[in-house]
Amino acid sequence: MRSTGSWYDVKDQEGHLWQCRLKGKFKIKGFKVTNPIAVGDKVDFDIEDKTENTGIIVNIKPRTNYLIRQSVHKTAHAHMLAANVDQAILVATLFFPRTSLGFIDRFMVIAESFRIPVVLIFNKQDLLDKEIADYQNELMALYESLGYRCLATTATDGHGLDAVKAILTGKVSVLSGHSGVGKSSLINAIAPELTLRTKEVSTFANKGVHTTTFAEMFEIEPDTYIVDSPGIKELGLSEISPKEISHFFPEMRDLLNQCRYDDCLHINEPGCAVKEAVSEGTIAMSRFDSYLSMVGGQDNRR
Ligand code: GDP
Ligand code: ZN
């Protein structure tokens, strides 16, 4: 549920919390990690002290996925942010602070690279004029057609929150989005009791109330978890090579073997199936623009 350096809060099947340490060395295949265990991990532990509620983690169960990034402190090491995540939820808004399509598409590419499904929430519906609302509907249709679930909400008046609840229920979700888009408002509206319990640690909002930032998982309803992990915001494309990026665009994936050249980057190569699809309109120009800026960007070259 939470890691604070060398201690881990582990919730048992009855819902009791145990303070555990890790015994022995655990490795992830192919990675050197700074932390062998992350929020969301499922473990076996031995009870150390029943009255103090302490234990020793002796086994980490196989993970369905994990979020990982290059360690800021130790080069050649990676830091695990969360494990066993069911979905990544991006809270966006076309009002203020307006979320750019480049940011949305980049988030989706990163999530695809971790094999984590994305749900896109457009918040602040109450503040949109007709023109922007129409534009948003077009975007929602576009992203839905690519397989991304889209929702529209107004956190402050409850609009759309039942759908958000339904999407969260029974799952482990990572919540992301720029500061100010309404993440805390959404969580407050959905789980007011949790807000009361965690008021002093101020999560999601990132308003600097607490300076030490530990990865943490909140149970907002039985079996329904939200992961708050510092560092998720800073996830970049650095692990993804330019050649791989198109594999994480669902609308490009199927076309890739139709390009004339195997190493086609879909920029200006002749016989490029992706560029052809863009000119025919079957790939959205906005998505292709995002693709180009990711391939040309600085942060994806090793
Ligand atoms: P966070 O940084 O993503 O957690 O954003 P907050 O939840 O703190 O919201 C930032 C500001 O936007 C606050 O003043 C909220 O009251 C406001 N806000 C959030 N959602 C909505 C919404 O749907 N409509 C309107 N009008 N304001 C909102
Ligand atoms: Zn191509």
Side-chain angles (χ1 to χ4, degrees):
M1 299 296 293
R2 182 172 140 102
S3 70
T4 57
S6 50
W7 288 94
Y8 304 95
D9 288 358
V10 177
K11 192 172 69 113
D12 69 18
Q13 270 145 326
E14 279 80 51
H16 301 118
L17 277 183
W18 296 81
Q19 290 235 298
C20 295
R21 281 171 299 166
L22 202 56
K23 193 181 161 189
K25 289 206 189 312
F26 293 88
K27 290 198 176 126
I28 301 186
K29 242 195 208 151
F31 286 105
K32 280 185 190 165
V33 283
T34 51
N35 57 331
I37 192 165
V39 285
D41 260 322
K42 298 191 166 87
V43 301
D44 296 320
F45 67 96
D46 291 339
I47 293 173
E48 191 181 38
D49 187 323
K50 221 173 173 148
T51 51
E52 297 281 320
N53 278 342
T54 56
I56 309 273
I57 293 167
V58 292
N59 181 42
I60 303 170
K61 311 241 169 148
R63 302 176 173 104
T64 56
N65 59 33
Y66 48 78
L67 291 166
I68 201 162
R69 69 164 179 158
Q70 285 309 113
S71 167
V72 249
H73 307 294
K74 277 183 161 174
T75 45
H77 279 66
H79 188 76
M80 206 183 355
L81 302 169
N84 302 314
V85 174
D86 293 314
Q87 58 192 359
I89 298 189
L90 181 62
V91 183
T93 182
L94 294 183
F95 191 71
F96 183 84
R98 186 177 183 135
T99 313
S100 72
L101 297 191
F103 184 81
I104 293 173
D105 292 334
R106 197 166 163 280
F107 182 89
M108 284 166 171
V109 162
I110 293 166
E112 291 269 348
S113 76
F114 289 117
R115 279 171 296 216
I116 297 175
V118 173
V119 177
L120 184 54
I121 297 182
F122 287 99
N123 190 37
K124 307 200 184 185
Q125 294 306 296
D126 56 323
L127 298 173
L128 305 185
D129 62 26
K130 168 109 179 37
E131 193 185 339
I132 305 227
D134 287 346
Y135 174 56
Q136 181 193 282
N137 286 337
E138 278 171 35
L139 290 180
M140 288 175 75
L142 166 63
Y143 287 110
E144 289 272 359
S145 77
L146 300 174
Y148 302 111
R149 185 77 200 273
C150 296
L151 298 175
T153 59
T154 300
T156 42
D157 74 5
H159 170 78
L161 295 189
D162 285 345
V164 176
K165 253 188 211 171
I167 255 182
L168 295 174
T169 298
K171 297 207 164 121
V172 174
S173 306
V174 165
L175 198 66
S176 202
H178 291 313
S179 181
V181 293
K183 296 180 295 300
S184 6
S185 304
L186 281 170
I187 296 302
N188 292 355
I190 287 169
E193 298 143 55
L194 173 92
T195 314
L196 286 178
R197 268 188 285 139
T198 58
K199 206 154 203 165
E200 64 278 20
V201 283
S202 164
T203 180
F204 310 117
N206 194 19
K207 285 178 184 130
V209 174
H210 65 321
T211 42
T212 44
T213 39
F214 296 119
E216 203 161 353
M217 214 162 93
F218 297 97
E219 189 168 21
I220 61 167
E221 264 173 58
D223 243 9
T224 300
Y225 299 92
I226 303 245
V227 171
D228 183 28
S229 177
I232 284 177
K233 281 204 183 81
E234 288 114 63
L235 274 176
L237 297 165
S238 61
E239 311 298 309
I240 309 170
S241 71
K243 175 127 187 36
E244 277 178 305
I245 289 175
S246 55
H247 294 257
F248 303 124
F249 278 78
E251 69 272 57
M252 297 185 188
R253 213 151 30 204
D254 297 340
L255 299 172
L256 298 179
N257 55 8
Q258 295 169 30
C259 291
R260 185 176 306 163
Y261 302 109
D262 277 348
D263 59 352
C264 189
L265 272 180
H266 328 297
I267 299 172
N268 46 28
E269 296 89 337
C272 171
V274 169
K275 287 217 58 161
E276 196 181 307
V278 174
S279 61
E280 284 169 358
T282 46
I283 289 179
M285 190 52 98
S286 68
R287 293 276 293 168
F288 188 61
D289 283 344
S290 295
Y291 168 78
L292 287 181
S293 73
M294 283 181 235
V295 173
Q298 292 299 308
D299 76 338
N300 58 357
R301 315 249 169 197
R302 279 186 210 252

